[in-house]
């Protein structure tokens, strides 16, 4: 029997499905990956972790975790997205039971987008304040402002090691210690030193600064800390989660600006964001170089650099050091969010994503180390001018970005200019990551409903940005920092690691097992089918390094991170305020929700399809016909149906795919499929109809046609 196949696009009325966008060039994709991977964490978290975990020693576990966890996951997500040319939700036709991975990725990215743009909003606010202060000094550089308290201190701490004993005692009692409190503790001093002290003046300076006297130390607050807490946040006017106070209008305005910028940059998808990254991905490096050069000219810079690079080899025996290194690599490269998968889905099929993964991973690691030099040179200068140790001025997260850095910048000549450039750098660092996470959310949903949403890309993007703005409003109340901290604490934690683990199980274990016991293509058995898929794209077999990591080392590393994180778990808190138990429950809901989606979708697919839920659907393979070679060549002879789940109707147009069959003599024909595609037929081949894919298979259409002919 000779068969003829006609390829058409499924239409409803006059509507056609918009095609997915593509990168303007390979360099746009590479810059977007660099911008996504190199974010705020490289500037405010990596230097802190180096300080906390042994300085230069931390680089050893950091590089090892990059090799066995970071790079393999990075390459894996780039490869699966590029191979199928689909977003994080629709790409999992390789095993429909794991379709929930895509929903989990989109959920995590959506939650992180909400609070991440609030952090960008703070950078915008500081940038605006620095700009309007260009003719003078920054407002957080001194005390005496309306928001300051009596505890504010802008003068350097006394250099006690350069003073004689009498001068030293005078400074201690007049500036640093409460004399009355010291007098109340004289009995403790008498017991410790086996002497009788009846007056604070009988003590020497070594006794006064000892731990016995710690509670009598006068607590000062830097001007930058009070500006952050009392002027920007106004958190002192809130009473925890019980009373988060009113909305801060200035922060609302800056949040609106932040979401407007995001919308303008991504409203056309990768066609617009791909051009923006030429600036946003490269500008931070210019500022980091300028800050490093300036930092190395400041007095005391060597204190910070020495502190940053002094190794403590004995720390390598601590599990916490390795856990911190693994966690930093995991979050820095952005695996599990769906962003890498989304970006690579817009690539050309033959792009060498293996090379891109290596380039971006090395750039990301190098940027973290380089940023450490720039930042610690400033912190060394700050420690020198305040007569403190470097560790006393180091903090993490928002505390480092909006307290320690501004404090150091305020002491530079032309402080407003340097502050403006620094916060503009933070803005560009944050925007790159926000672009990708928002595109993950938007593309993921658009791929489910391509007929409507792709043709209304700008409107749907605006809708998502408005929702993000509204959901961010609780975080710009006077107690909004508590909500931001809660989301940051839980949104991307265990769930992110478990999503990455599910990806590996699907592609490295389930996909090979199904291919071995139930061969899909002409009965050919293969041990690692995804390796062959990658070979089709990059032109050579993946290095054994990738296979060893994907099959063994990377899953072990992920489980290690989960275990170490669980042993170090502590409830969320901000400063001295410990969050109430009910907020911890909300936090765990944010952790569990994405994981529950994976399990729920898996259960639904198994109920619908049985064990076939773990088999690739008939449409799994390259998206474009010219790329459908080797074992996927049969896809060329299958009808193309551009549709979404909402398009599957019994009253769809009479010609879907146009399958005609006739014998050489013209006898015995099978009429065109006229009844549309019902959900039962879809279920038999794995279930979810997706854009620009080949559903249903030829055999399935023939079966449906025969059933309709019999029924007639």
């Amino acid at each position: 029997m000779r068969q003829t196949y006609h390829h058409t696009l499924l239409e409803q009325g006059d509507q056609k499905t918009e095609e997915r966008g593509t990168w303007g060039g390979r360099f746009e994709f590479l810059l977007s990956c660099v911008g996504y991977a190199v974010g705020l964490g490289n500037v405010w978290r990596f230097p802190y972790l180096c300080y906390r975990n042994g300085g230069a020693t931390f680089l050893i576990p950091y590089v090892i975790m990059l090799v066995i966890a970071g790079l393999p996951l990075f390459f894996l997500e780039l490869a699966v997205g590029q191979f199928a040319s689909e977003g994080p939700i629709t790409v999992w036709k390789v095993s429909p039971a794991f379709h929930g991975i895509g929903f989990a990725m989109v959920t995590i990215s959506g939650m992180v987008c909400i609070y991440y743009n609030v952090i960008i909003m703070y950078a915008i606010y500081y940038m605006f304040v620095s700009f309007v202060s260009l003719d003078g000094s920054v407002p957080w550089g001194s005390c005496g402002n309306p928001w300051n308290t009596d505890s504010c201190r802008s003068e350097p701490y006394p250099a006690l090691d350069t003073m004689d004993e009498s001068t030293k005692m005078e400074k201690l009692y007049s500036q640093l210690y409460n004399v009355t409190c010291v007098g109340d503790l004289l009995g403790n001093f008498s017991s410790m030193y086996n002497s009788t002290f009846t007056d604070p003046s009988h003590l020497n300076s070594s006794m006064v600064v000892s731990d016995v006297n710690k509670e009598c130390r006068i607590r000062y607050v830097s001007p930058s800390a009070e500006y952050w807490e009392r002027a920007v946040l106004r958190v002192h006017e809130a009473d925890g989660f019980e009373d988060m106070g009113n909305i801060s209008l200035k922060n609302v305005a800056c949040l609106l600006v932040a979401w407007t910028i995001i919308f303008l940059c991504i409203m056309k998808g990768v066609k617009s964001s791909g051009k923006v990254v030429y600036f946003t991905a490269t500008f931070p490096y210019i500022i980091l170089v300028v800050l490093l050069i300036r930092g190395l000219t400041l007095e005391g810079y060597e204190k910070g650099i020495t502190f940053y690079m002094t190794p403590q080899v004995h720390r390598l025996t601590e599990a916490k050091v390795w856990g911190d290194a693994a966690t930093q690599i995991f979050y820095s490269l952005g695996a599990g969010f769906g962003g890498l998968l989304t970006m690579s889905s817009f690539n050309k099929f033959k792009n060498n994503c293996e090379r891109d993964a290596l380039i971006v991973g090395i750039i990301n690691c190098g940027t973290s180390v380089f940023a450490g030099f720039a930042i610690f040179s400033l912190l060394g200068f700050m420690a020198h001018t305040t007569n403190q140790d470097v560790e006393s001025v180091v903090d993490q997260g928002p505390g480092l970005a909006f307290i320690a850095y501004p404090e150091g910048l305020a002491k530079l000549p032309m402080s407003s200019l340097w502050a403006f450039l620094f916060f503009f750098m933070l803005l560009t660092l944050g925007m790159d990551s926000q672009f990708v996470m928002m595109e993950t959310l938007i593309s993921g949903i658009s791929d489910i409903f391509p007929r409507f949403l792709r043709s209304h890309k700008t409107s749907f993007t605006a809708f998502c940005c408005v929702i993000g703005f509204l959901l961010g409003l609780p975080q710009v109340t006077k107690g909004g920092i508590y909500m931001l901290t809660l989301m940051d604490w839980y949104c991307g934690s265990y769930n992110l690691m478990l999503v990455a683990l599910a990806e590996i199980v699907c592609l490295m274990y389930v996909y090979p097992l199904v291919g071995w016991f139930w061969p899909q293509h002409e009965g050919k058995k293969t041990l690692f089918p995804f390796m062959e898929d990658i070979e089709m794209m990059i032109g050579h077999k993946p290095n054994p390094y990738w296979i060893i990591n994907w099959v063994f080392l990377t899953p072990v590393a992920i489980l290690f991170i989960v275990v170490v994180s669980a042993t170090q778990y502590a409830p969320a808190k901000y400063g001295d305020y410990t969050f109430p138990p009910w907020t911890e429950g909300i936090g765990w809901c944010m952790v569990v929700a994405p994981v529950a989606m994976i399990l729920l979708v898996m259960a639904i697919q198994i109920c619908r399809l049985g064990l076939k839920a773990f088999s690739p659907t008939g449409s799994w393979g390259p998206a474009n016909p010219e790329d459908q070679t080797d074992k996927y060549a049969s896809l060329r002879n299958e009808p193309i149906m551009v549709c979404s789940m909402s398009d599957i109707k019994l009253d769809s147009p009479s010609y879907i795919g146009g399958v005609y069959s006739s014998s050489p003599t013209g006898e015995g024909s099978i009429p065109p499929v006229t009844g549309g595609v019902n959900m039962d037929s879809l279920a038999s081949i794995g279930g979810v109809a997706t854009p620009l894919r080949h559903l249903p298979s030829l055999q399935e259409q023939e079966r449906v046609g025969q059933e309709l002919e019999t029924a007639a």
Side-chain angles (χ1 to χ4, degrees):
M1 179 178 291
R2 176 176 58 85
Q3 295 177 324
T4 306
Y5 309 98
H6 302 269
H7 302 277
T8 65
L9 292 178
L10 178 66
E11 299 184 13
Q12 287 186 343
D14 296 328
Q15 291 185 329
K16 294 183 179 180
T17 300
E18 293 279 335
E19 293 186 3
R20 300 180 96 246
T22 56
W23 297 108
R26 188 180 68 83
F27 199 55
E28 287 184 10
F29 166 71
L30 195 61
L31 281 179
S32 295
C33 286
V34 170
Y36 174 61
V38 178
L40 296 173
N42 297 76
V43 174
W44 74 19
R45 194 167 188 268
F46 178 82
Y48 169 79
L49 291 177
C50 278
Y51 139 73
R52 193 175 74 176
N53 293 295
T57 307
F58 180 72
L59 296 178
I60 298 174
Y62 181 74
V63 172
I64 291 175
M65 287 299 175
L66 172 69
V67 171
I68 69 174
L71 285 177
L73 284 170
F74 199 91
F75 181 30
L76 184 72
E77 290 199 7
L78 291 186
V80 68
Q82 180 174 305
F83 179 77
S85 298
E86 302 221 27
I89 291 181
T90 56
V91 77
W92 297 104
K93 288 173 295 184
V94 64
S95 182
F98 288 88
H99 222 82
I101 293 176
F103 290 101
M105 286 178 166
V106 170
T107 301
I108 294 173
S109 291
M111 290 190 297
V112 173
C113 278
I114 295 170
Y115 79 83
Y116 200 80
N117 220 29
V118 176
I119 298 175
I120 294 175
M121 175 270 292
Y122 290 132
I124 292 175
Y125 177 81
Y126 272 85
M127 189 179 71
F128 283 163
V129 171
S130 301
F131 179 78
V132 299
S133 303
L134 283 176
D135 291 335
S137 59
V138 290
W140 59 81
S142 61
C143 299
N145 298 291
W147 56 81
N148 291 126
T149 66
D150 294 337
S151 298
C152 180
R153 181 186 178 94
S154 58
E155 298 82 13
Y157 282 71
L160 299 176
D161 54 345
T162 64
M163 302 176 183
D164 57 42
E165 182 65 18
S166 61
T167 305
K168 190 182 297 184
M169 289 295 294
E170 190 273 328
K171 292 293 183 182
L172 287 173
Y173 283 150
S174 64
Q175 297 186 31
L176 302 181
Y177 286 86
N178 186 309
V179 178
T180 303
C181 176
V182 174
D184 294 337
L185 295 177
L186 289 177
N188 295 344
F189 285 104
S190 299
S191 300
M192 173 168 286
Y193 294 100
N194 294 322
S195 297
T196 302
F197 300 103
T198 59
D199 190 270
S201 61
H202 296 163
L203 304 175
N204 60 40
S205 59
S206 299
M207 296 177 182
V208 174
V209 299
S210 66
D211 288 341
V212 178
N213 209 24
K214 184 187 300 185
E215 63 184 77
C216 296
R217 189 177 302 164
I218 299 174
R219 307 293 178 184
Y220 290 108
V221 183
S222 66
S224 61
E226 288 205 339
Y227 183 79
W228 166 248
E229 297 275 354
R230 302 178 64 85
V232 179
L233 301 179
R234 297 174 67 182
V235 69
H236 63 288
E237 299 179 27
D239 186 19
F241 274 97
E242 290 76 11
D243 180 12
M244 295 179 63
N246 299 324
I247 285 178
S248 172
L249 293 181
K250 67 179 186 302
N251 289 343
V252 170
C254 290
L255 183 63
L256 181 61
V257 171
W259 277 110
T260 302
I261 293 174
I262 297 299
F263 167 71
L264 293 175
C265 291
I266 67 172
M267 63 180 181
K268 298 296 183 182
V270 295
K271 293 180 180 179
S272 55
S273 63
K275 301 297 184 291
V276 176
V277 294
Y278 279 102
F279 174 76
T280 57
T282 56
F283 180 77
Y285 290 96
I286 299 174
I287 298 301
L288 283 175
V289 170
V290 172
L291 287 176
L292 176 61
I293 294 173
R294 181 61 182 128
L296 294 178
T297 64
L298 298 172
E299 192 175 3
Y301 78 90
E302 66 280 356
K303 285 185 177 182
I305 300 298
T306 301
F307 184 87
Y308 178 44
M309 295 307 298
T310 300
Q312 301 175 28
V313 181
H314 67 278
R315 300 293 299 276
L316 290 175
T317 61
E318 300 177 14
K320 187 175 186 302
V321 175
W322 291 84
D324 282 348
T327 304
Q328 174 62 13
I329 279 292
F330 199 93
Y331 294 141
S332 180
L333 288 176
F337 285 94
L340 299 173
L341 201 153
T342 299
M343 287 189 293
S344 64
S345 71
F346 300 113
N347 270 342
K348 289 182 170 61
F349 184 78
K350 295 294 185 180
N351 178 64
N352 191 339
C353 53
E354 179 184 35
R355 174 196 57 206
D356 293 341
L358 292 172
I359 291 174
V360 175
I362 292 171
I363 289 177
N364 177 72
C365 184
T367 302
S368 296
V369 176
F370 180 74
F373 282 101
I375 297 312
F376 271 88
S377 65
L378 287 175
L379 295 178
F381 167 72
M382 182 177 169
H384 174 76
T385 57
T386 58
N387 290 323
Q388 299 182 81
D389 295 328
V390 175
E391 56 264 35
S392 300
V393 297
V394 174
D395 200 348
Q396 69 167 324
L400 184 59
F402 300 112
I403 296 178
Y405 290 165
E407 183 76 11
L409 294 169
K411 300 182 184 306
L412 294 174
M414 300 177 63
S415 60
S416 298
L417 176 61
W418 291 110
F420 175 81
L421 293 175
F422 175 80
F423 288 110
F424 191 36
M425 179 190 72
L426 288 188
L427 172 63
T428 55
L429 282 172
M431 279 185 6
D432 283 330
S433 300
Q434 185 75 349
F435 290 163
V436 176
M437 289 188 290
M438 282 298 296
E439 188 62 39
T440 299
L441 175 67
I442 294 168
S443 295
I445 299 175
S446 296
D447 281 353
I448 303 177
F449 307 102
R451 183 175 308 282
F452 177 75
L453 294 183
R454 285 190 193 163
S455 60
H456 299 85
K457 172 75 175 179
T458 302
S459 300
F460 183 58
T461 301
F463 173 78
C464 291
C465 290
V466 169
I467 295 299
F469 169 75
L470 295 176
L471 293 177
L473 290 179
Q475 297 176 52
V476 293
T477 59
K478 294 171 182 177
I481 190 64
Y482 301 135
M483 181 65 71
L484 186 150
T485 303
L486 181 70
M487 295 191 70
D488 183 44
W489 203 282
Y490 290 101
C491 275
S493 55
Y494 302 96
N495 49 19
L496 209 57
M497 304 171 201
L498 295 176
V499 166
L501 185 61
E503 290 182 88
I504 293 177
V505 170
C506 175
L507 295 170
M508 295 297 117
Y509 291 94
V510 174
Y511 188 21
L513 285 174
V514 169
W516 185 261
F517 292 104
W518 298 282
Q520 300 294 307
H521 301 279
E522 301 176 356
K524 180 183 177 182
K525 294 185 177 181
T526 178
L527 185 59
F528 292 110
F530 194 58
M531 302 300 107
E532 297 179 356
D533 295 340
I534 294 175
E535 185 179 0
M536 287 179 60
M537 293 189 296
I538 64 178
H540 61 83
K541 293 183 181 298
N543 192 289
Y545 154 77
W546 300 113
I547 301 175
I548 294 171
N549 279 287
W550 285 332
V551 174
F552 176 67
L553 293 179
T554 304
V556 171
I558 292 175
L559 290 174
F560 170 75
I561 299 172
V562 173
V563 172
V564 171
S565 299
T567 58
Q568 298 173 1
Y569 170 75
K573 65 177 183 178
Y574 180 79
D576 296 330
Y577 174 65
T578 301
F579 295 174
W582 62 268
T583 61
E584 189 177 359
I586 295 176
W588 278 106
C589 287
M590 290 187 280
V591 173
V592 171
V595 179
M597 289 182 181
I598 298 177
L599 300 177
L600 179 62
V601 173
M602 181 176 293
I604 293 173
Q605 294 287 59
I606 292 174
C607 290
R608 293 176 61 237
L609 310 175
L611 291 179
K612 288 185 179 181
F614 295 97
S615 301
T617 68
S619 60
W620 164 250
N624 299 317
E626 62 268 22
D627 300 320
Q628 293 161 0
T629 58
D630 299 332
K631 62 183 180 181
Y632 296 103
S634 60
L635 291 177
R636 292 183 176 183
N637 295 329
E638 295 184 9
I640 296 177
M641 183 172 77
V642 183
C643 66
S644 67
M645 296 178 68
S646 61
D647 293 332
I648 301 170
K649 299 179 180 179
L650 291 177
D651 59 349
S652 58
S654 60
Y655 182 74
I656 303 180
V659 180
Y660 296 96
S661 178
S662 61
S663 67
T665 61
E667 297 176 358
S669 63
I670 298 177
V673 180
T674 58
V677 183
N678 61 32
M679 292 307 295
D680 292 335
S681 66
L682 281 174
S684 68
I685 59 169
V688 181
T690 53
L692 293 175
R693 308 303 301 160
H694 307 266
L695 288 175
S697 67
L698 171 63
Q699 294 80 9
E700 185 60 30
Q701 288 215 29
E702 288 180 339
R703 184 183 68 79
V704 174
Q706 291 169 352
E707 290 177 354
L708 292 172
E709 184 180 26
T710 301

